[in-house]
Amino acid sequence: MASFKKYRVGGKFKLSQIDPGDTAFCEGDEAAQREEVDALAVELDELQNLLHAEGRRKVLLVLQGMDTSGKDGTVRWVFSRTSPLGVRVAAFKAPTEEERARDYLWRCHAVVPRNGEIAVWNRSHYEDVLVPVVEGWIDKAEAKRRHAQINDFERLLVETGTVIVKCMLHIDKDEQRERLQARIDTPGKQWKFSMGDLEVRTKWSAYQRTYESMLAATSTEHAPWYVIPANSKRHRNLMIAQLLMKTLRQMKLKAPPPDPALNGMIVK
């Protein structure tokens, strides 16, 4: 079994140290890997039921990555067997006028998980320390302030019962090119493509540098970042599913104790 230690951001972190083509969490042939993803999805459903029954804690899974890195696919496969009653997905697009009129964390706090719930953020509050930096809308001093504010925001969530799992889906530029081309060449996938994707792609290096500094500044003991090699979609799914399962198992979830008042009760 591969270790997550190598992929946890800390110390003198360099994004280039993580190979996007790494498949350390893939074992056996393709069929075996698919079976493992399915088995993990089934166990995730069981543990989510316990999380809901316990009703005291909650889990937040944050998914960040460049365009085509597989955020949607992660949700589709990792939670394929989980009841939709216990999982809530929030997708963060460009801020609306209503959202821009408030602080940048306002829209995030509105969709944090409830007790007993797993929330998945497809993009997140980290958009506000990525796009504005690359586009030059905020300077380094403001980015540093936002990093500190985000760390405090996440500490608040953790101290009030939220377990945070943060995953940066790491692909290389060639893999992105192939995925974008596939969207263009496949009529049924063209709706996923935007001309803006090509403009963002021209700023690939700037985004990689900004990701690197953001990950280093916001990977904390209470909410660490994990870099997920994601050139292989199956490896991405396996690694995130295993990380999420490891986290839930460590929570030692338990259903409430039996109600003595129900002993011997017969339903007629």
Side-chain angles (χ1 to χ4, degrees), residues 4-11 13 15 18 60-65 71 121 123-127 129-130 147 150-151 154 164-170 210-228 239-240 243:
F4 291 102
K5 184 177 180 180
K6 172 183 175 181
Y7 308 93
R8 177 169 168 158
V9 176
F13 170 73
L15 190 55
I18 307 296
L60 172 60
L61 174 63
V62 175
L63 301 176
Q64 278 291 151
K71 298 175 288 293
W121 287 1
R123 300 187 189 273
S124 67
H125 45 320
Y126 286 100
E127 291 296 295
V129 286
L130 290 167
H147 290 155
I150 286 172
N151 289 341
E154 292 177 351
I164 302 176
V165 181
K166 300 189 297 191
C167 297
M168 186 271 185
L169 280 54
H170 188 33
T210 305
Y211 259 109
E212 184 172 275
S213 59
M214 178 275 285
L215 292 168
T218 59
S219 188
T220 60
E221 283 299 317
H222 57 273
W225 273 106
Y226 290 88
V227 177
I228 311 296
M239 186 173 177
I240 293 176
L243 177 59

Short mmCIF file of all heavy atoms in Angstrom, two decimals, residues 4-11 13 15 18 60-65 71 121 123-127 129-130 147 150-151 154 164-170 210-228 239-240 243:
data_model
loop_
_atom_site.label_atom_id
_atom_site.label_comp_id
_atom_site.label_asym_id
_atom_site.label_seq_id
_atom_site.Cartn_x
_atom_site.Cartn_y
_atom_site.Cartn_z
N PHE A 4 0.71 8.14 1.93
CA PHE A 4 0.28 9.49 1.58
C PHE A 4 1.32 10.54 1.97
O PHE A 4 1.22 11.69 1.56
CB PHE A 4 -1.05 9.83 2.28
CG PHE A 4 -2.21 9.05 1.74
CD1 PHE A 4 -2.71 7.96 2.43
CD2 PHE A 4 -2.81 9.41 0.54
CE1 PHE A 4 -3.78 7.24 1.94
CE2 PHE A 4 -3.89 8.71 0.05
CZ PHE A 4 -4.37 7.61 0.75
N LYS A 5 2.30 10.13 2.77
CA LYS A 5 3.27 11.09 3.31
C LYS A 5 3.96 11.90 2.22
O LYS A 5 4.13 13.12 2.34
CB LYS A 5 4.30 10.35 4.16
CG LYS A 5 5.30 11.27 4.85
CD LYS A 5 6.25 10.47 5.73
CE LYS A 5 7.24 11.40 6.42
NZ LYS A 5 8.19 10.63 7.29
N LYS A 6 4.35 11.23 1.16
CA LYS A 6 5.07 11.89 0.06
C LYS A 6 4.24 12.99 -0.59
O LYS A 6 4.78 13.98 -1.11
CB LYS A 6 5.46 10.84 -0.99
CG LYS A 6 6.03 11.41 -2.28
CD LYS A 6 6.31 10.30 -3.29
CE LYS A 6 6.78 10.86 -4.63
NZ LYS A 6 7.02 9.79 -5.62
N TYR A 7 2.93 12.86 -0.55
CA TYR A 7 2.04 13.75 -1.29
C TYR A 7 1.44 14.84 -0.40
O TYR A 7 0.71 15.70 -0.89
CB TYR A 7 0.93 12.94 -1.94
CG TYR A 7 1.48 11.80 -2.76
CD1 TYR A 7 1.65 10.53 -2.22
CD2 TYR A 7 1.89 12.00 -4.08
CE1 TYR A 7 2.19 9.49 -2.96
CE2 TYR A 7 2.43 10.97 -4.84
CZ TYR A 7 2.57 9.71 -4.26
OH TYR A 7 3.11 8.68 -5.01
N ARG A 8 1.74 14.79 0.89
CA ARG A 8 1.25 15.82 1.82
C ARG A 8 2.18 17.04 1.75
O ARG A 8 3.39 16.91 1.88
CB ARG A 8 1.19 15.27 3.24
CG ARG A 8 0.76 16.29 4.27
CD ARG A 8 0.46 15.65 5.61
NE ARG A 8 0.31 16.65 6.65
CZ ARG A 8 -0.35 16.45 7.79
NH1 ARG A 8 -0.89 15.27 8.03
NH2 ARG A 8 -0.44 17.41 8.69
N VAL A 9 1.60 18.20 1.55
CA VAL A 9 2.39 19.42 1.39
C VAL A 9 2.92 19.88 2.74
O VAL A 9 2.17 20.00 3.71
CB VAL A 9 1.55 20.54 0.75
CG1 VAL A 9 2.35 21.84 0.66
CG2 VAL A 9 1.06 20.10 -0.62
N GLY A 10 4.22 20.16 2.77
CA GLY A 10 4.83 20.66 3.99
C GLY A 10 6.28 21.03 3.74
O GLY A 10 6.87 20.66 2.72
N GLY A 11 6.87 21.75 4.67
CA GLY A 11 8.28 22.10 4.54
C GLY A 11 8.56 22.93 3.31
O GLY A 11 7.78 23.78 2.90
N PHE A 13 8.17 22.93 0.09
CA PHE A 13 7.41 22.24 -0.95
C PHE A 13 7.69 22.79 -2.34
O PHE A 13 7.76 24.00 -2.55
CB PHE A 13 5.92 22.36 -0.64
CG PHE A 13 5.04 21.89 -1.76
CD1 PHE A 13 4.91 20.54 -2.04
CD2 PHE A 13 4.34 22.80 -2.54
CE1 PHE A 13 4.10 20.10 -3.08
CE2 PHE A 13 3.52 22.38 -3.57
CZ PHE A 13 3.41 21.02 -3.84
N LEU A 15 6.09 21.95 -6.23
CA LEU A 15 5.09 21.19 -6.99
C LEU A 15 5.76 20.27 -7.99
O LEU A 15 5.26 19.18 -8.29
CB LEU A 15 4.14 22.16 -7.71
CG LEU A 15 2.89 21.57 -8.36
CD1 LEU A 15 2.07 20.77 -7.37
CD2 LEU A 15 2.05 22.68 -8.98
N ILE A 18 6.33 16.40 -7.45
CA ILE A 18 5.26 15.41 -7.62
C ILE A 18 5.03 15.19 -9.12
O ILE A 18 4.69 16.11 -9.85
CB ILE A 18 3.95 15.87 -6.95
CG1 ILE A 18 4.19 16.25 -5.49
CG2 ILE A 18 2.89 14.78 -7.08
CD1 ILE A 18 4.64 15.09 -4.62
N LEU A 60 -15.44 17.91 5.07
CA LEU A 60 -15.37 18.79 3.91
C LEU A 60 -14.23 18.33 3.01
O LEU A 60 -13.08 18.30 3.42
CB LEU A 60 -15.12 20.24 4.33
CG LEU A 60 -14.84 21.25 3.21
CD1 LEU A 60 -16.01 21.31 2.24
CD2 LEU A 60 -14.53 22.62 3.79
N LEU A 61 -14.57 17.92 1.78
CA LEU A 61 -13.59 17.54 0.78
C LEU A 61 -13.44 18.68 -0.22
O LEU A 61 -14.40 19.05 -0.90
CB LEU A 61 -14.02 16.26 0.06
CG LEU A 61 -13.15 15.82 -1.13
CD1 LEU A 61 -11.74 15.47 -0.68
CD2 LEU A 61 -13.79 14.62 -1.85
N VAL A 62 -12.25 19.26 -0.30
CA VAL A 62 -11.96 20.36 -1.21
C VAL A 62 -11.19 19.83 -2.42
O VAL A 62 -10.16 19.18 -2.26
CB VAL A 62 -11.13 21.45 -0.50
CG1 VAL A 62 -10.72 22.55 -1.48
CG2 VAL A 62 -11.90 22.05 0.67
N LEU A 63 -11.72 20.09 -3.62
CA LEU A 63 -11.07 19.66 -4.85
C LEU A 63 -10.65 20.89 -5.66
O LEU A 63 -11.50 21.71 -6.04
CB LEU A 63 -12.02 18.80 -5.69
CG LEU A 63 -12.56 17.53 -5.04
CD1 LEU A 63 -13.56 16.85 -5.97
CD2 LEU A 63 -11.42 16.56 -4.71
N GLN A 64 -9.36 21.04 -5.88
CA GLN A 64 -8.83 22.13 -6.69
C GLN A 64 -7.97 21.54 -7.81
O GLN A 64 -7.43 20.45 -7.66
CB GLN A 64 -7.96 23.06 -5.85
CG GLN A 64 -8.73 24.09 -5.04
CD GLN A 64 -9.40 25.18 -5.86
OE1 GLN A 64 -10.43 25.72 -5.44
NE2 GLN A 64 -8.85 25.53 -7.00
N GLY A 65 -7.84 22.26 -8.90
CA GLY A 65 -7.00 21.80 -9.99
C GLY A 65 -7.23 22.63 -11.24
O GLY A 65 -8.24 23.34 -11.35
N LYS A 71 -12.12 17.16 -11.54
CA LYS A 71 -12.90 17.40 -10.33
C LYS A 71 -14.29 16.76 -10.44
O LYS A 71 -14.76 16.09 -9.52
CB LYS A 71 -13.00 18.90 -10.06
CG LYS A 71 -11.63 19.55 -9.81
CD LYS A 71 -11.71 21.06 -9.68
CE LYS A 71 -12.00 21.75 -10.99
NZ LYS A 71 -10.88 21.63 -11.97
N TRP A 121 -16.48 20.39 -2.26
CA TRP A 121 -16.36 21.67 -2.96
C TRP A 121 -15.59 21.45 -4.25
O TRP A 121 -14.40 21.10 -4.24
CB TRP A 121 -15.66 22.71 -2.09
CG TRP A 121 -16.54 23.21 -0.97
CD1 TRP A 121 -17.81 22.82 -0.69
CD2 TRP A 121 -16.20 24.19 0.02
NE1 TRP A 121 -18.30 23.49 0.40
CE2 TRP A 121 -17.33 24.34 0.86
CE3 TRP A 121 -15.07 24.95 0.27
CZ2 TRP A 121 -17.33 25.23 1.94
CZ3 TRP A 121 -15.07 25.83 1.34
CH2 TRP A 121 -16.19 25.97 2.17
N ARG A 123 -13.88 23.16 -6.87
CA ARG A 123 -13.25 24.46 -6.70
C ARG A 123 -13.71 24.99 -5.33
O ARG A 123 -14.52 24.35 -4.67
CB ARG A 123 -13.56 25.42 -7.84
CG ARG A 123 -13.09 24.94 -9.22
CD ARG A 123 -13.29 26.02 -10.26
NE ARG A 123 -13.05 25.53 -11.62
CZ ARG A 123 -11.87 25.50 -12.21
NH1 ARG A 123 -10.79 25.92 -11.55
NH2 ARG A 123 -11.74 25.07 -13.45
N SER A 124 -13.19 26.14 -4.91
CA SER A 124 -13.44 26.53 -3.53
C SER A 124 -13.01 27.96 -3.27
O SER A 124 -12.81 28.76 -4.20
CB SER A 124 -12.67 25.59 -2.60
OG SER A 124 -11.26 25.80 -2.78
N HIS A 125 -12.84 28.28 -1.98
CA HIS A 125 -12.33 29.59 -1.56
C HIS A 125 -10.93 29.84 -2.11
O HIS A 125 -10.48 30.99 -2.15
CB HIS A 125 -12.34 29.72 -0.05
CG HIS A 125 -11.82 28.54 0.73
ND1 HIS A 125 -12.06 27.23 0.39
CD2 HIS A 125 -11.04 28.48 1.84
CE1 HIS A 125 -11.48 26.43 1.26
NE2 HIS A 125 -10.85 27.16 2.14
N TYR A 126 -10.24 28.78 -2.54
CA TYR A 126 -8.88 28.96 -3.06
C TYR A 126 -8.87 29.62 -4.44
O TYR A 126 -7.82 30.10 -4.89
CB TYR A 126 -8.15 27.62 -3.08
CG TYR A 126 -7.77 27.21 -1.67
CD1 TYR A 126 -8.53 26.29 -0.95
CD2 TYR A 126 -6.68 27.79 -1.04
CE1 TYR A 126 -8.21 25.96 0.35
CE2 TYR A 126 -6.34 27.46 0.26
CZ TYR A 126 -7.12 26.55 0.96
OH TYR A 126 -6.80 26.23 2.26
N GLU A 127 -10.02 29.66 -5.12
CA GLU A 127 -10.09 30.41 -6.36
C GLU A 127 -9.71 31.88 -6.13
O GLU A 127 -9.17 32.53 -7.03
CB GLU A 127 -11.50 30.33 -6.95
CG GLU A 127 -11.89 28.97 -7.47
CD GLU A 127 -11.04 28.55 -8.66
OE1 GLU A 127 -11.11 29.22 -9.71
OE2 GLU A 127 -10.28 27.57 -8.52
N VAL A 129 -7.42 33.06 -4.25
CA VAL A 129 -5.98 33.30 -4.10
C VAL A 129 -5.22 32.67 -5.26
O VAL A 129 -4.02 32.48 -5.20
CB VAL A 129 -5.44 32.77 -2.75
CG1 VAL A 129 -5.87 33.68 -1.62
CG2 VAL A 129 -5.87 31.33 -2.48
N LEU A 130 -5.95 32.36 -6.32
CA LEU A 130 -5.34 31.85 -7.55
C LEU A 130 -5.59 32.81 -8.71
O LEU A 130 -4.68 33.49 -9.17
CB LEU A 130 -5.89 30.45 -7.87
CG LEU A 130 -5.46 29.32 -6.94
CD1 LEU A 130 -6.30 28.08 -7.16
CD2 LEU A 130 -3.98 29.00 -7.15
N HIS A 147 -4.23 34.33 2.52
CA HIS A 147 -3.76 33.02 2.98
C HIS A 147 -3.99 32.88 4.48
O HIS A 147 -4.47 31.83 4.96
CB HIS A 147 -2.27 32.85 2.67
CG HIS A 147 -1.98 32.69 1.22
ND1 HIS A 147 -0.76 33.03 0.67
CD2 HIS A 147 -2.73 32.24 0.17
CE1 HIS A 147 -0.77 32.79 -0.63
NE2 HIS A 147 -1.96 32.32 -0.96
N ILE A 150 -7.73 32.54 5.26
CA ILE A 150 -8.22 31.20 4.92
C ILE A 150 -7.79 30.19 5.98
O ILE A 150 -8.59 29.33 6.39
CB ILE A 150 -7.72 30.78 3.52
CG1 ILE A 150 -8.51 31.54 2.44
CG2 ILE A 150 -7.86 29.28 3.31
CD1 ILE A 150 -7.98 31.35 1.03
N ASN A 151 -6.56 30.30 6.45
CA ASN A 151 -6.10 29.39 7.51
C ASN A 151 -6.95 29.55 8.76
O ASN A 151 -7.30 28.57 9.43
CB ASN A 151 -4.63 29.65 7.82
CG ASN A 151 -3.70 29.18 6.71
OD1 ASN A 151 -4.08 28.37 5.87
ND2 ASN A 151 -2.48 29.68 6.71
N GLU A 154 -10.46 28.01 8.14
CA GLU A 154 -10.43 26.55 8.24
C GLU A 154 -10.23 26.09 9.68
O GLU A 154 -10.78 25.06 10.09
CB GLU A 154 -9.35 25.99 7.32
CG GLU A 154 -9.69 26.20 5.85
CD GLU A 154 -8.62 25.71 4.88
OE1 GLU A 154 -7.52 25.35 5.35
OE2 GLU A 154 -8.89 25.69 3.67
N ILE A 164 -11.37 18.41 7.52
CA ILE A 164 -11.14 18.94 6.17
C ILE A 164 -10.11 18.09 5.43
O ILE A 164 -9.03 17.81 5.96
CB ILE A 164 -10.65 20.40 6.24
CG1 ILE A 164 -11.68 21.27 6.98
CG2 ILE A 164 -10.42 20.95 4.83
CD1 ILE A 164 -11.22 22.71 7.17
N VAL A 165 -10.45 17.70 4.20
CA VAL A 165 -9.55 16.96 3.32
C VAL A 165 -9.37 17.79 2.05
O VAL A 165 -10.34 18.03 1.33
CB VAL A 165 -10.12 15.57 2.96
CG1 VAL A 165 -9.15 14.81 2.05
CG2 VAL A 165 -10.42 14.76 4.22
N LYS A 166 -8.15 18.24 1.79
CA LYS A 166 -7.90 19.14 0.65
C LYS A 166 -7.02 18.44 -0.38
O LYS A 166 -5.91 18.01 -0.06
CB LYS A 166 -7.23 20.44 1.12
CG LYS A 166 -8.08 21.21 2.13
CD LYS A 166 -7.52 22.60 2.43
CE LYS A 166 -6.17 22.58 3.06
NZ LYS A 166 -5.75 23.91 3.57
N CYS A 167 -7.52 18.37 -1.60
CA CYS A 167 -6.81 17.66 -2.68
C CYS A 167 -6.58 18.58 -3.87
O CYS A 167 -7.54 19.14 -4.42
CB CYS A 167 -7.61 16.44 -3.13
SG CYS A 167 -7.84 15.19 -1.86
N MET A 168 -5.33 18.70 -4.28
CA MET A 168 -4.99 19.42 -5.51
C MET A 168 -4.76 18.39 -6.59
O MET A 168 -3.85 17.57 -6.51
CB MET A 168 -3.74 20.27 -5.30
CG MET A 168 -3.40 21.18 -6.49
SD MET A 168 -2.33 20.37 -7.69
CE MET A 168 -1.99 21.69 -8.84
N LEU A 169 -5.62 18.37 -7.61
CA LEU A 169 -5.54 17.40 -8.70
C LEU A 169 -4.49 17.88 -9.70
O LEU A 169 -4.70 18.89 -10.37
CB LEU A 169 -6.91 17.23 -9.36
CG LEU A 169 -7.92 16.31 -8.65
CD1 LEU A 169 -8.14 16.71 -7.20
CD2 LEU A 169 -9.25 16.30 -9.39
N HIS A 170 -3.39 17.15 -9.77
CA HIS A 170 -2.19 17.60 -10.48
C HIS A 170 -2.04 16.89 -11.82
O HIS A 170 -1.79 15.68 -11.87
CB HIS A 170 -0.98 17.32 -9.59
CG HIS A 170 0.31 17.87 -10.06
ND1 HIS A 170 0.43 19.05 -10.75
CD2 HIS A 170 1.59 17.38 -9.92
CE1 HIS A 170 1.70 19.27 -11.02
NE2 HIS A 170 2.42 18.28 -10.54
N THR A 210 1.70 29.98 -8.80
CA THR A 210 0.74 30.46 -7.81
C THR A 210 0.20 29.31 -6.98
O THR A 210 0.02 29.43 -5.75
CB THR A 210 -0.41 31.22 -8.51
OG1 THR A 210 0.14 32.26 -9.31
CG2 THR A 210 -1.36 31.83 -7.50
N TYR A 211 -0.08 28.18 -7.62
CA TYR A 211 -0.49 26.99 -6.88
C TYR A 211 0.57 26.59 -5.86
O TYR A 211 0.28 26.28 -4.70
CB TYR A 211 -0.75 25.82 -7.83
CG TYR A 211 -2.22 25.58 -8.13
CD1 TYR A 211 -2.76 25.89 -9.38
CD2 TYR A 211 -3.06 25.04 -7.17
CE1 TYR A 211 -4.10 25.67 -9.65
CE2 TYR A 211 -4.40 24.82 -7.43
CZ TYR A 211 -4.93 25.13 -8.68
OH TYR A 211 -6.26 24.93 -8.93
N GLU A 212 1.81 26.59 -6.29
CA GLU A 212 2.90 26.17 -5.41
C GLU A 212 2.97 27.03 -4.15
O GLU A 212 3.04 26.50 -3.03
CB GLU A 212 4.22 26.23 -6.17
CG GLU A 212 5.41 25.72 -5.38
CD GLU A 212 6.66 25.63 -6.24
OE1 GLU A 212 6.84 24.59 -6.92
OE2 GLU A 212 7.44 26.60 -6.25
N SER A 213 2.92 28.34 -4.32
CA SER A 213 3.01 29.23 -3.16
C SER A 213 1.75 29.13 -2.30
O SER A 213 1.82 29.17 -1.06
CB SER A 213 3.24 30.67 -3.60
OG SER A 213 2.20 31.13 -4.44
N MET A 214 0.57 28.99 -2.94
CA MET A 214 -0.67 28.86 -2.19
C MET A 214 -0.70 27.59 -1.36
O MET A 214 -1.06 27.58 -0.18
CB MET A 214 -1.86 28.91 -3.15
CG MET A 214 -3.22 28.73 -2.50
SD MET A 214 -3.70 26.98 -2.29
CE MET A 214 -4.11 26.55 -3.97
N LEU A 215 -0.30 26.47 -1.98
CA LEU A 215 -0.29 25.19 -1.27
C LEU A 215 0.63 25.25 -0.05
O LEU A 215 0.28 24.79 1.04
CB LEU A 215 0.15 24.07 -2.20
CG LEU A 215 -0.81 23.71 -3.34
CD1 LEU A 215 -0.12 22.80 -4.36
CD2 LEU A 215 -2.07 23.04 -2.81
N ALA A 216 1.81 25.83 -0.23
CA ALA A 216 2.78 25.91 0.87
C ALA A 216 2.26 26.79 2.00
O ALA A 216 2.47 26.50 3.18
CB ALA A 216 4.11 26.44 0.35
N ALA A 217 1.56 27.88 1.65
CA ALA A 217 1.10 28.84 2.65
C ALA A 217 -0.14 28.38 3.41
O ALA A 217 -0.40 28.84 4.53
CB ALA A 217 0.82 30.19 1.99
N THR A 218 -0.90 27.44 2.82
CA THR A 218 -2.19 27.07 3.43
C THR A 218 -2.29 25.58 3.79
O THR A 218 -3.37 25.10 4.11
CB THR A 218 -3.36 27.45 2.50
OG1 THR A 218 -3.21 26.78 1.24
CG2 THR A 218 -3.42 28.95 2.28
N SER A 219 -1.17 24.87 3.73
CA SER A 219 -1.18 23.48 4.20
C SER A 219 -0.79 23.50 5.68
O SER A 219 0.36 23.79 6.03
CB SER A 219 -0.18 22.63 3.41
OG SER A 219 -0.32 21.25 3.74
N THR A 220 -1.75 23.26 6.54
CA THR A 220 -1.57 23.38 7.99
C THR A 220 -1.78 22.04 8.66
O THR A 220 -2.28 21.08 8.05
CB THR A 220 -2.57 24.40 8.55
OG1 THR A 220 -3.91 23.94 8.26
CG2 THR A 220 -2.37 25.78 7.93
N GLU A 221 -1.45 21.97 9.93
CA GLU A 221 -1.69 20.74 10.69
C GLU A 221 -3.17 20.42 10.77
O GLU A 221 -3.57 19.26 10.71
CB GLU A 221 -1.10 20.87 12.10
CG GLU A 221 0.40 20.72 12.17
CD GLU A 221 0.88 19.36 11.68
OE1 GLU A 221 0.25 18.33 12.04
OE2 GLU A 221 1.85 19.32 10.91
N HIS A 222 -3.99 21.46 10.88
CA HIS A 222 -5.43 21.21 11.02
C HIS A 222 -6.11 20.97 9.67
O HIS A 222 -7.20 20.40 9.63
CB HIS A 222 -6.12 22.36 11.77
CG HIS A 222 -5.95 23.71 11.16
ND1 HIS A 222 -4.87 24.52 11.43
CD2 HIS A 222 -6.72 24.42 10.29
CE1 HIS A 222 -4.98 25.65 10.78
NE2 HIS A 222 -6.10 25.61 10.06
N ALA A 223 -5.48 21.42 8.58
CA ALA A 223 -6.07 21.23 7.25
C ALA A 223 -4.97 21.13 6.20
O ALA A 223 -4.73 22.09 5.45
CB ALA A 223 -7.03 22.38 6.92
N PRO A 224 -4.29 19.99 6.13
CA PRO A 224 -3.17 19.85 5.18
C PRO A 224 -3.65 19.65 3.75
O PRO A 224 -4.77 19.18 3.51
CB PRO A 224 -2.46 18.59 5.68
CG PRO A 224 -3.54 17.78 6.32
CD PRO A 224 -4.46 18.78 6.96
N TRP A 225 -2.78 20.00 2.81
CA TRP A 225 -3.03 19.75 1.39
C TRP A 225 -2.38 18.44 0.98
O TRP A 225 -1.29 18.10 1.46
CB TRP A 225 -2.42 20.85 0.53
CG TRP A 225 -3.28 22.04 0.29
CD1 TRP A 225 -3.15 23.28 0.84
CD2 TRP A 225 -4.41 22.12 -0.60
NE1 TRP A 225 -4.12 24.13 0.36
CE2 TRP A 225 -4.90 23.45 -0.53
CE3 TRP A 225 -5.04 21.21 -1.44
CZ2 TRP A 225 -6.00 23.88 -1.27
CZ3 TRP A 225 -6.14 21.63 -2.18
CH2 TRP A 225 -6.61 22.95 -2.09
N TYR A 226 -3.02 17.74 0.05
CA TYR A 226 -2.43 16.56 -0.60
C TYR A 226 -2.44 16.81 -2.11
O TYR A 226 -3.46 17.22 -2.67
CB TYR A 226 -3.22 15.29 -0.28
CG TYR A 226 -3.09 14.86 1.15
CD1 TYR A 226 -3.94 15.36 2.13
CD2 TYR A 226 -2.09 13.96 1.54
CE1 TYR A 226 -3.81 14.98 3.46
CE2 TYR A 226 -1.95 13.57 2.87
CZ TYR A 226 -2.82 14.09 3.82
OH TYR A 226 -2.69 13.72 5.14
N VAL A 227 -1.30 16.60 -2.75
CA VAL A 227 -1.21 16.71 -4.20
C VAL A 227 -1.50 15.35 -4.80
O VAL A 227 -0.82 14.36 -4.47
CB VAL A 227 0.17 17.22 -4.64
CG1 VAL A 227 0.26 17.27 -6.16
CG2 VAL A 227 0.43 18.61 -4.06
N ILE A 228 -2.50 15.26 -5.66
CA ILE A 228 -2.97 14.01 -6.23
C ILE A 228 -2.51 13.89 -7.69
O ILE A 228 -3.01 14.62 -8.56
CB ILE A 228 -4.52 13.92 -6.20
CG1 ILE A 228 -5.07 14.27 -4.81
CG2 ILE A 228 -4.99 12.55 -6.67
CD1 ILE A 228 -4.66 13.33 -3.71
N MET A 239 -6.73 7.14 -5.33
CA MET A 239 -5.98 7.84 -4.29
C MET A 239 -6.90 8.68 -3.42
O MET A 239 -6.80 8.68 -2.18
CB MET A 239 -4.89 8.70 -4.91
CG MET A 239 -3.97 9.34 -3.89
SD MET A 239 -2.56 10.17 -4.67
CE MET A 239 -1.79 10.88 -3.22
N ILE A 240 -7.82 9.41 -4.05
CA ILE A 240 -8.73 10.25 -3.26
C ILE A 240 -9.69 9.39 -2.44
O ILE A 240 -9.98 9.69 -1.28
CB ILE A 240 -9.50 11.21 -4.18
CG1 ILE A 240 -8.52 12.22 -4.80
CG2 ILE A 240 -10.60 11.95 -3.41
CD1 ILE A 240 -9.13 13.16 -5.80
N LEU A 243 -7.73 8.09 0.50
CA LEU A 243 -7.46 9.16 1.46
C LEU A 243 -8.71 9.49 2.26
O LEU A 243 -8.65 9.67 3.49
CB LEU A 243 -6.97 10.41 0.71
CG LEU A 243 -6.70 11.65 1.56
CD1 LEU A 243 -5.64 11.37 2.62
CD2 LEU A 243 -6.27 12.82 0.66
#
